[in-house]
Structures are given as structure tokens and as C-alpha cells.
Amino acid sequence: MEGPVEERLCGKMKIGCGLHRYNLRDVFTWSLLKTILMGQVLSLLICGTAVSCEYLTRAKVETPMLQSFLNYGLLLFTYTTHLSTRTGDRNILQILKTNWWKYLGMAIADVEANYAVVKAYQFTTLTSIQLLDCFVIPVLMLLSWFFLKTRYRVVHFVAVAVCLLGVGAMVGADILAGRDQGSTSDVLLGDGLVLLSAVLYAISNMCQEHTVKNLSRVEFLGMMGLFGTLISGVQLVVLETRAIGEIKWDVHISMLFVVYTLCMYALYSFMPIVVKMTSATAVNLSLLTADLFSLFCGLFLFMYKFSALYIISFVVITVGFIMFNAVPTYSALPEEPAEASDDPMAQSSSDHLLLSADSDTQRTETLTANDTP
């Protein structure tokens, strides 16, 4: 009698976790591998921004709003220009007429999130920032649950806990290596800024997921470039005019600005693709390894002290990310037909599905005709 009871209990647990339909062959697919690799590319791009920021800080250049302005300006030059050439229902004039306030709010959240987390380094420690910055994941899951109607299984919460455990190992390695950098002039203010940036990032990422999955990547990036440039430009004039005037420009400083801007531009351009493949929550889990890549670079560039906990942390975070993506989430909303996409891959996939449907219809009609006396 014990055998059947144990099988029923295991079966209920698998159903609750969402594992009842999956075996190892279903889990470790090429799609999962591609998701992991693309997520780590995003982490490497963030690592590039972190390293260039470190060099700029050492050169006494602290202009976070100027750096953001350059990134948004590049988005404006490419994606907003492309969006302005679009004709039809989703042209730029129609978007601004109907949804300008939505994209304005999205851009405000994104710009201020970037500014708040950089500003936090002036008041609190690196350890606090690394720990509190993870607050974006539960906030994003909560927002996705209520607004995007995303439903998670038990395995997803376990996966998030595993990833956060990996972050804890990374922070422990930092403390052992004596890397508790940053200021302690006003820790409560600094920690509050980190939490504020996490909430704003969660709002921005949720809006990004909704836009790229229901509208288009070009529309999201074009509107982000337009409103992000306006907002960061105003703050740049108000907050950093004197700091920019004090920069001693040379080839080295200019190249650091170029590297930072290109890494951020690539991150903003590439991230919506990965979000569309998975979800904003999954992408943020993969970005937890960005600090580790920065640390590995620091071993050679800034002579950081190595700890085996860094390797353990990377492995644990990767395992948690695989767990999260192994079982898909589902939406409580009924599926709606997606609008026209700018992605040729998506269009090709759609055409393939239509052709498959036509073939199935023809095959059914043929069988019916053969069965008719």
C-alpha cells in the first residue's frame, strides 16, 4: 500500500511544482540553452558598463545623468528615427496622441531608477547595494502577478530563493575579500535610494515586457529614446552642468564614455528580445551574475582578491535560473491575437504556423473526401 500512496504524493508535488509533464529531455532544450547564453550576454554588457564606470570614478568623473543622456540620445537617433518612418495605425503621431503619458511614465521610472542606484553609492556600502538591489525581483513578480496576470508555480519561487542564496554567497565573498566599498555617510538614505531604484526598475521592466510582447520592440525603444532623452536632458542641465565643465577631456576619458554608451545601447537593444523569449523576471535573475563578471574583470584590472565563493555563487545563480526557466509560467488572461510585429523572426514563425494550419486543413478535407461513399 505504501508504494501507491508515495506515488500519489509525489504526483501531487510534481503537479504543484509544474513538473508533471516534463522529463530531462523536455527541460534541457536548445531553447533553454539559448536563453541562458543570451542572459549572460546581457550580464557581460552590464559588466562593461560597470568597468567603464569604475575607471571614470577613478578619474574623478561622476556624471551619471550625462552617461544616461548619451544612451537615450543614441536610442533616439536610431529607434525613434525608424519609428517616425512607420506608416499605418501605429505610427509615431498616433502613438503620441493616444499613449504618450504611458511612455512618459515608463521613461521617468527608467531614468530615475538609473540615477537613484548610482547616487546610492555616495551614501551606503557596496554590500548593501548588492543585497537590496535584489528587491527588484519580488517586486517585479508581484507587479507581474497583478497587472500582467502571470501565474507562478512552486518551482519558480524555489528558483528565486536559490538565486538569492547565490547572491548571498557573492556578498559573503566580498566581505571576506575586504571589498565593502562605498560611503557610510548616510546609510539609511543610501539604502532607501537602492530600494526606490529597485521598485522603479520593476515598474519599467514590467512595462517593457507588456510592450514588447503585445506591441513591438521598436515602439518600446523608440518611445524610451524620445522621452528618456527629454527627461535626462532636463536633469543634466539642472544637476550636472558644473560637473561636466570640470571634466578634463582627453582620449582616455572620451573612450570610456564611448564604451559605456555602446554597452548601454546594446543592453537596451538586446534586452527586449530576451524579455520576449522569457519574461522580465527571468531576465533579472540572469542579470544577477553581472556583478560576478565585474568581479572577475576586477581580479585582473583592479587587483581584487579572489575567493572560491565567487565560483560557487555563479554556479548557484545559474542553477536557480535554469530551474526558473525549466517550467514555463502561464497567464490568467485569455490569449489575444498579437498585433503586427517588427521582428522578422516572429513574422516568419507566424507564416510557418499559417502554412501548417493550411496543410492540416487540406489533409483533413482529403481524408473526409476519401471516407465519403
Side-chain angles (χ1 to χ4, degrees):
M1 294 294 292
E2 293 180 359
V5 172
E6 291 181 357
E7 289 179 3
R8 287 198 297 271
L9 290 175
C10 291
K12 290 180 180 179
M13 290 179 65
K14 288 182 177 179
I15 291 173
C17 294
L19 298 172
H20 63 292
R21 294 182 180 179
Y22 301 95
N23 53 42
L24 289 178
R25 185 175 297 178
D26 295 326
V27 172
F28 295 100
T29 61
W30 165 244
S31 177
L32 176 61
L33 178 60
K34 184 167 63 173
T35 301
I36 294 173
L37 292 176
M38 294 175 75
Q40 296 316 297
V41 169
L42 296 179
S43 289
L44 285 171
L45 291 172
I46 293 181
C47 172
T49 65
V51 171
S52 56
C53 277
E54 179 71 18
Y55 276 115
L56 285 171
T57 301
R58 295 186 177 212
K60 306 300 181 182
V61 177
E62 296 183 357
T63 54
M65 197 51 63
L66 172 61
Q67 292 161 226
S68 294
F69 176 77
L70 293 174
N71 169 51
Y72 291 121
L74 197 53
L75 293 174
L76 174 70
F77 179 73
T78 53
Y79 292 103
T80 309
T81 301
H82 176 68
L83 188 62
S84 64
T85 62
R86 178 191 287 179
T87 58
D89 294 336
R90 300 302 298 181
N91 63 75
I92 191 169
L93 294 178
Q94 180 68 23
I95 295 170
L96 291 174
K97 185 183 298 184
T98 57
N99 294 322
W100 66 269
W101 59 274
K102 295 181 180 179
Y103 288 111
L104 175 63
M106 191 188 310
I108 290 174
D110 195 71
V111 172
E112 302 310 327
N114 288 326
Y115 183 76
V117 73
V118 173
K119 196 69 176 176
Y121 281 92
Q122 299 179 15
F123 303 104
T124 189
T125 62
L126 175 66
T127 301
S128 296
I129 292 173
Q130 288 175 322
L131 287 173
L132 295 176
D133 197 42
C134 297
F135 187 60
V136 66
I137 295 172
V139 174
L140 181 54
M141 293 179 73
L142 188 64
L143 291 176
S144 298
W145 181 283
F146 283 105
F147 294 101
L148 301 183
K149 305 303 179 183
T150 303
R151 295 296 178 257
Y152 301 98
R153 302 181 188 275
V154 175
V155 68
H156 296 122
F157 296 103
V158 174
V160 170
V162 170
C163 288
L164 297 181
L165 181 64
V167 174
M170 176 182 64
V171 172
D174 283 344
I175 295 174
L176 293 175
R179 287 196 64 246
D180 195 19
Q181 300 175 358
S183 173
T184 55
S185 60
D186 196 337
V187 174
L188 289 179
L189 175 59
D191 292 348
L193 287 172
V194 178
L195 293 176
L196 175 62
S197 72
V199 173
L200 292 175
Y201 272 130
I203 294 172
S204 174
N205 289 342
M206 181 199 68
C207 295
Q208 178 180 176
E209 180 177 350
H210 173 76
T211 305
V212 300
K213 287 187 175 182
N214 294 280
L215 298 173
S216 75
R217 167 176 166 267
V218 172
E219 180 171 328
F220 167 77
L221 292 173
M223 291 295 101
M224 187 63 71
L226 176 61
F227 288 107
T229 302
L230 292 174
I231 297 167
S232 61
V234 172
Q235 287 191 225
L236 173 64
V237 173
V238 174
L239 300 175
E240 295 182 356
T241 303
R242 179 179 297 179
I244 294 173
E246 295 174 353
I247 297 176
K248 298 178 180 178
W249 293 96
D250 56 24
V251 175
H252 177 68
I253 297 296
S254 300
M255 286 304 300
L256 289 175
F257 272 100
V258 169
V259 170
Y260 177 89
T261 303
L262 291 179
C263 285
M264 283 297 290
Y265 176 77
L267 175 67
Y268 272 71
S269 299
F270 192 42
M271 188 171 175
I273 299 175
V274 188
V275 168
K276 190 170 184 177
M277 290 176 55
T278 56
S279 67
T281 304
V283 170
N284 276 276
L285 288 175
S286 69
L287 295 182
L288 293 177
T289 59
D291 286 335
L292 289 168
F293 287 131
S294 300
L295 291 169
F296 294 147
C297 290
L299 295 174
F300 302 98
L301 299 175
F302 309 119
M303 303 305 166
Y304 292 161
K305 184 179 178 182
F306 176 76
S307 172
L309 282 175
Y310 292 140
I311 303 297
I312 296 174
S313 176
F314 181 81
V315 173
V316 172
I317 292 174
T318 303
V319 169
F321 180 70
I322 293 174
M323 290 174 60
F324 190 91
N325 286 278
V327 177
T329 58
Y330 65 97
S331 176
L333 291 175
E335 293 186 0
E336 298 179 358
E339 296 189 23
S341 172
D342 298 302
D343 188 354
M345 294 293 292
Q347 185 65 35
S348 175
S349 176
S350 176
D351 293 343
H352 177 72
L353 290 174
L354 290 173
L355 290 173
S356 299
D358 290 342
S359 299
D360 291 341
T361 302
Q362 293 176 1
R363 190 181 299 111
T364 303
E365 292 175 353
T366 303
L367 291 174
T368 303
N370 291 336
D371 292 340
T372 303

